[in-house]
Amino acid sequence: MDTGLASDEEKPANDLRARVRAVLERRKLTDSISAEQASASWEQDRFVARARALFYARMMFLTLGLLILAVPEWSGYFGLTGPLAFGGYFTMLLYSVANFLVIDHPKAGRWVTYFTLCFDLTIMVVLIVKPQVNGGLQSPLLATQLLFTTLFAILYPKPLAILPPLLALPITTRLDLLLNRSVTAIELLTLLWYSALNFIIVYVVVYLNEREAAAHREVVELQGDLKELAIVEERNRLAREIHDGLGASLSSMIIQSEYILSLEKDGSLRAEIGELKATAEESIEELRRNLRMMREDFELAQGLEDYIKTFRDRTQLDIRFERTGVARKLSPDAQLALFRILQEGLSNTAKHAQAQVVHVRLDFTEGRVHLTVRDDGKGFDPKKTPRGHYGLLNMRERAMKLGGEIIVDSAPGAGALVSFSIPCNPL
């Protein structure tokens, strides 16, 4: 095959893998991402983007605050004079910067942003109420309360989380009364008007947020379903092609072997032909087993038991199978990994161990499925794998791919134990 042509064919796939890897690394996700994880990542990115917008809004407010402190008439109106006012200003600046530095953290970013936003709200209420003249419900800064309601609703669209800005209006009214300010009819109308605007803002923002989140979840789930459907359809197509092509060839080989056996009288040649026929029968059985896995019509425990029986009859090994726990329907990849581990373990035992008895155990627990293959053979040193033998390496790669673990415990003269465990992720 032309290596240049192969390289050109692989380039789009490699570019796609690189893009996928870059996105996964940026979002700190794994290859086996679920729809829930994708939605959580999207919600975290959305929160970070909005929290950054909050930081820039704070910088604007802090710039205006510095301007107020610099103009004596304005600072006198709010009573912001002396070192205490400048100390409060720099405190706000410091916690705003600190908040910006932890925004990306999944938990700390949300909590720190929420509490600092509550501090901002408290300072806003103080600035509204503090002036003796035109303070409280008459303050020109009262409209800022609507902005805080909007910010809380955008960042934390939950009823209890939005409560602080909604309480700002009744708290301002109560402070007015404590400061012996009479609430006029116009101020009462102002209170009712701002309360109505607050509830409108909360309803609109929360409603739109929920619609947006629901639509995104639906799209992510649809993409996952389409991906699974495409995989199933491709598996079924490959299963049909393999069955009609390779399966038919193996069946023809078996028929031809039987015909030649019926003609041949030489004992040694008949033995060779019989072995060829047995190999073809074993190959077609392996083919059927793989096709059942591809079509998700494979029952793991029964499949393992059938294979052990066939392997026992062929090798005359004393293999004892035990199954415990409640069986679960596993993904095709998980079932294939368990089956291949059993095949590799029994094959190694038959070829190298010189064992008398082999114990195979399949155990389903609450969250995992365990497969163990133990023999009483001559054992080996797992750290000294001969060059060109990749059985143990393949086992570890299968375990790593499925988030499982494999333990190979053996020593010369002490038999061997292969223990394979993967999470039970039912379909």
Side-chain angles (χ1 to χ4, degrees):
M1 183 177 182
D2 188 351
T3 57
L5 179 59
S7 177
D8 291 341
E9 290 176 348
E10 292 177 0
K11 189 176 186 302
N14 291 334
D15 292 342
L16 180 59
R17 291 189 189 98
R19 288 198 299 271
V20 170
R21 177 59 56 190
V23 173
L24 290 174
E25 290 178 354
R26 178 168 56 84
R27 293 180 176 269
K28 299 178 181 179
L29 299 172
T30 62
D31 294 343
S32 56
I33 179 175
S34 64
E36 292 77 11
Q37 290 173 322
S39 294
S41 174
W42 173 77
E43 290 179 0
Q44 174 64 14
D45 282 353
R46 184 179 62 170
F47 172 82
V48 170
R50 294 177 176 184
R52 291 183 189 278
L54 169 64
F55 171 76
Y56 298 130
R58 277 177 172 162
M59 293 299 100
M60 178 59 70
F61 278 118
L62 287 171
T63 302
L64 292 174
L66 187 61
L67 187 61
I68 290 173
L69 292 176
V71 178
E73 186 175 354
W74 294 351
S75 59
Y77 172 75
F78 290 104
L80 301 176
T81 57
L84 186 61
F86 282 93
Y89 176 85
F90 284 107
T91 300
M92 290 183 64
L93 179 62
L94 288 175
Y95 75 62
S96 297
V97 174
N99 181 201
F100 182 78
L101 295 176
V102 299
I103 282 176
D104 291 323
H105 193 279
K107 292 184 178 180
R110 291 177 179 268
W111 283 104
V112 172
T113 301
Y114 186 79
F115 284 117
T116 55
L117 196 55
C118 288
F119 292 152
D120 292 341
L121 179 63
T122 303
I123 294 170
M124 186 271 296
V125 171
V126 171
L127 292 176
I128 289 174
V129 175
K130 194 170 183 181
Q132 295 296 319
V133 180
N134 294 330
L137 296 177
Q138 299 179 3
S139 174
L141 300 183
L142 188 62
T144 312
Q145 187 271 336
L146 296 175
L147 176 61
F148 276 93
T149 300
T150 304
L151 291 172
F152 272 90
I154 289 175
L155 288 165
Y156 305 97
K158 302 295 181 183
L160 291 178
I162 306 175
L163 196 57
L166 298 180
L167 292 175
L169 286 176
I171 290 174
T172 300
T173 305
R174 180 58 180 168
L175 290 174
D176 269 357
L177 295 175
L178 291 176
L179 293 172
N180 296 321
R181 295 172 182 162
S182 60
V183 179
T184 65
I186 298 301
E187 290 174 349
L188 181 59
L189 176 61
T190 301
L191 176 63
L192 293 175
W193 177 254
Y194 273 85
S195 298
L197 290 177
N198 273 274
F199 283 107
I200 292 172
I201 289 172
V202 169
Y203 173 77
V204 171
V205 172
V206 172
Y207 173 76
L208 293 177
N209 182 82
E210 289 300 320
R211 286 294 300 271
E212 181 185 7
H216 181 268
R217 286 193 297 269
E218 186 177 9
V219 169
V220 170
E221 291 172 0
L222 179 60
Q223 288 176 334
D225 293 341
L226 290 174
K227 177 183 175 182
E228 290 297 324
L229 182 60
I231 292 173
V232 170
E233 290 178 348
E234 182 64 13
R235 280 177 173 165
N236 290 340
R237 186 190 69 81
L238 289 174
R240 289 193 299 270
E241 296 298 328
I242 293 173
H243 178 272
D244 295 342
L246 183 57
S249 298
L250 289 173
S251 297
S252 298
M253 184 183 296
I254 294 172
I255 294 171
Q256 291 172 350
S257 300
E258 291 175 345
Y259 176 71
I260 296 173
L261 276 174
S262 67
L263 299 177
E264 182 59 45
K265 304 301 182 183
D266 182 79
S268 59
L269 187 56
R270 283 180 61 85
E272 291 293 333
I273 297 172
E275 186 174 343
L276 175 64
K277 176 175 176 289
T279 301
E281 290 174 338
E282 183 178 343
S283 298
I284 201 168
E285 182 60 32
E286 173 72 10
L287 176 65
R288 288 169 179 161
R289 186 182 302 113
N290 280 276
L291 292 178
R292 288 197 298 271
M293 288 183 183
M294 291 175 69
R295 290 184 174 272
E296 300 185 12
D297 188 26
F298 179 76
E299 203 282 310
L300 179 64
Q302 187 61 48
L304 295 185
E305 192 169 359
D306 291 344
Y307 180 77
I308 288 171
K309 182 178 182 302
T310 303
F311 196 86
R312 183 194 298 127
D313 295 340
R314 183 162 60 86
T315 62
Q316 301 303 310
L317 268 174
D318 184 5
I319 307 175
R320 303 172 186 179
F321 178 67
E322 179 184 5
R323 183 183 70 180
T324 60
V326 179
R328 293 175 176 82
K329 184 69 175 177
L330 303 175
S331 68
D333 288 342
Q335 293 190 103
L336 180 61
L338 288 161
F339 190 84
R340 293 303 186 211
I341 294 296
L342 174 68
Q343 280 186 313
E344 184 67 26
L346 292 182
S347 177
N348 288 339
T349 299
K351 291 178 181 177
H352 311 295
Q354 300 178 5
Q356 300 298 316
V357 181
V358 182
H359 294 274
V360 178
R361 179 186 176 96
L362 180 66
D363 182 26
F364 289 93
T365 61
E366 184 66 26
R368 302 182 75 84
V369 57
H370 306 266
L371 175 68
T372 56
V373 180
R374 183 193 302 271
D375 67 61
D376 61 353
K378 63 181 183 179
F380 66 99
D381 186 352
K383 297 180 180 179
K384 297 180 180 180
T385 304
R387 183 179 297 274
H389 291 247
Y390 301 104
L392 295 180
L393 177 61
N394 291 339
M395 289 182 184
R396 293 190 176 94
E397 288 178 349
R398 289 183 186 276
M400 184 182 302
K401 181 179 179 181
L402 295 170
E405 60 179 349
I406 187 164
I407 299 173
V408 179
D409 185 15
S410 182
L417 168 68
V418 176
S419 177
F420 182 54
S421 171
I422 57 176
C424 270
N425 296 320
L427 296 175

